[in-house]
Amino acid sequence: MTIQEITAVSKVFLLDMDGTIYFDETPIGDMKNTLQALRKAGKKLVYFTNNSSKTPDEYERKLKKIGFWEEGDLVYTSAMATAEYLREFYPDKRVYVVATDAVKESFQAYGVTVVEENPDICVLAYDTTLTFEKLRKINKYIVEGALYIATHPDDVCPSKDVFPPDVGSFIALLKVSSGKAPDVICGKPYTTMGECIQRKLGVKGNQITMVGDRLHTDIRFGVNNGFHTVLVLSGESTEETLKNSPDTPEAVLPSLNEITEYL
Ligand SMILES: [Mg+2]
């Protein structure tokens, strides 16, 4: 499909954040007006991130601060997808959650039974308050046979400084200590988060466009889920990496701002 056709058929735009709409808190170009143009064209905007260290409320506050938030927008994180997945498929199970306190509380708010001992399931989120005791416990529980779910697979987290370790690095550590890999990974590029957002919004895959700057997460995620895909070259990817990548987006734009020419 051409970019015009993609924008015409899409009701929902899933927007990756870092490298796609901003860097840390610096908007990319005139993003505020671009987002407004998409809303005016009747598109639902979903801020869609693998980062499971923050709650949707924390993201909403950040987006409000930089003028990106309007009534009707939605934040969707891999932690929310994981909580909804647990509620849908494992409603009565006891779950040990490695996450920040705020994210842990958000799991409880979803109705997940969060426990410290004897869990049926372990969830590994991006816990920026990780301790040895938490690692000891999750390692013990997964060795003893608990179902092991990771929120997302990213090895490092984009940052102004040296990129710090993300969940993919924690997965590698637990692979060495326990011999086990996650039974389920929810976030991009896997399909669980895609199925969750379709269920939540009641929209078909061919009415959704994934916009992002990473080929092996954002674009692969869109392709794996049957969504439309737009790669933006404002972040991690370049013409060069695109040429050498097995992941092929349907459309490529210098940044999301250029989409306004096709609405
Ligand atoms: Mg990104």
Side-chain angles (χ1 to χ4, degrees):
M1 270 193 187
T2 64
I3 182 82
Q4 284 95 339
E5 288 167 331
I6 292 171
T7 54
V9 299
S10 297
K11 293 183 172 171
V12 174
F13 277 75
L14 305 179
L15 305 175
D16 170 59
M17 298 209 248
D18 245 298
T20 299
I21 57 169
Y22 58 53
F23 284 109
D24 283 316
E25 292 194 354
T26 310
I28 293 173
D30 193 9
M31 194 56 66
K32 189 176 168 184
N33 281 324
T34 299
L35 298 172
Q36 199 53 30
L38 282 164
R39 291 186 198 101
K40 267 195 185 145
K43 313 304 180 189
K44 182 161 185 81
L45 303 186
V46 180
Y47 297 101
F48 199 77
T49 181
N50 264 1
N51 192 328
S52 57
S53 70
K54 292 192 182 79
T55 64
D57 286 350
E58 289 172 297
Y59 271 116
E60 197 179 313
R61 273 198 294 279
K62 178 176 174 174
L63 291 162
K64 268 186 184 147
K65 206 169 121 189
I66 52 177
F68 281 9
W69 187 260
E70 288 283 335
E71 192 71 40
D73 293 351
L74 181 70
V75 171
Y76 203 67
T77 70
S78 67
M80 292 165 72
T82 305
E84 289 178 5
Y85 174 79
L86 288 170
R87 192 173 57 184
E88 182 81 15
F89 297 104
Y90 299 99
D92 302 319
K93 298 294 183 187
R94 295 163 54 86
V95 186
Y96 178 64
V97 181
V98 174
T100 62
D101 285 347
V103 169
K104 224 163 141 178
E105 280 163 25
S106 74
F107 272 74
Q108 281 167 320
Y110 268 101
V112 174
T113 306
V114 177
V115 298
E116 287 298 317
E117 307 290 336
N118 304 315
D120 306 301
I121 298 172
C122 290
V123 169
L124 178 63
Y126 189 19
D127 187 355
T128 50
T129 57
L130 188 65
T131 62
F132 179 77
E133 181 59 8
K134 291 182 185 182
L135 279 174
R136 187 192 68 78
K137 279 179 148 180
I138 189 170
N139 179 72
K140 169 180 155 72
Y141 299 146
I142 59 183
V143 166
E144 288 173 347
L147 187 78
Y148 171 23
I149 302 177
T151 55
H152 63 289
D154 301 40
D155 290 336
V156 292
C157 183
S159 152
K160 275 182 190 156
D161 201 346
V162 173
F163 291 4
D166 199 335
V167 168
S169 300
F170 305 161
I171 290 173
L173 185 154
L174 288 169
K175 177 80 173 68
V176 174
S177 61
S178 70
K180 303 224 173 167
D183 297 296
V184 178
I185 302 180
C186 285
K188 298 179 281 186
Y190 298 100
T191 52
T192 303
M193 194 171 174
E195 287 156 8
C196 287
I197 193 69
Q198 284 185 79
R199 208 165 30 236
K200 188 178 186 74
L201 298 177
V203 175
K204 288 190 187 125
N206 59 9
Q207 297 172 316
I208 298 176
T209 293
M210 177 71 220
V211 184
D213 70 314
R214 269 186 176 175
L215 285 154
H216 64 284
T217 54
D218 301 320
I219 301 306
R220 192 174 299 174
F221 169 78
V223 171
N224 285 346
N225 282 284
F227 301 164
H228 299 289
T229 50
V230 176
L231 178 75
V232 289
L233 300 178
S234 51
E236 190 181 275
S237 300
T238 61
E239 294 281 5
E240 196 58 32
T241 52
L242 173 60
K243 216 185 301 167
N244 298 315
S245 168
D247 301 297
T248 312
E250 261 181 291
V252 183
L253 293 174
S255 78
L256 180 59
N257 296 304
E258 283 72 28
I259 205 161
T260 53
E261 296 164 29
Y262 306 101
L263 291 174

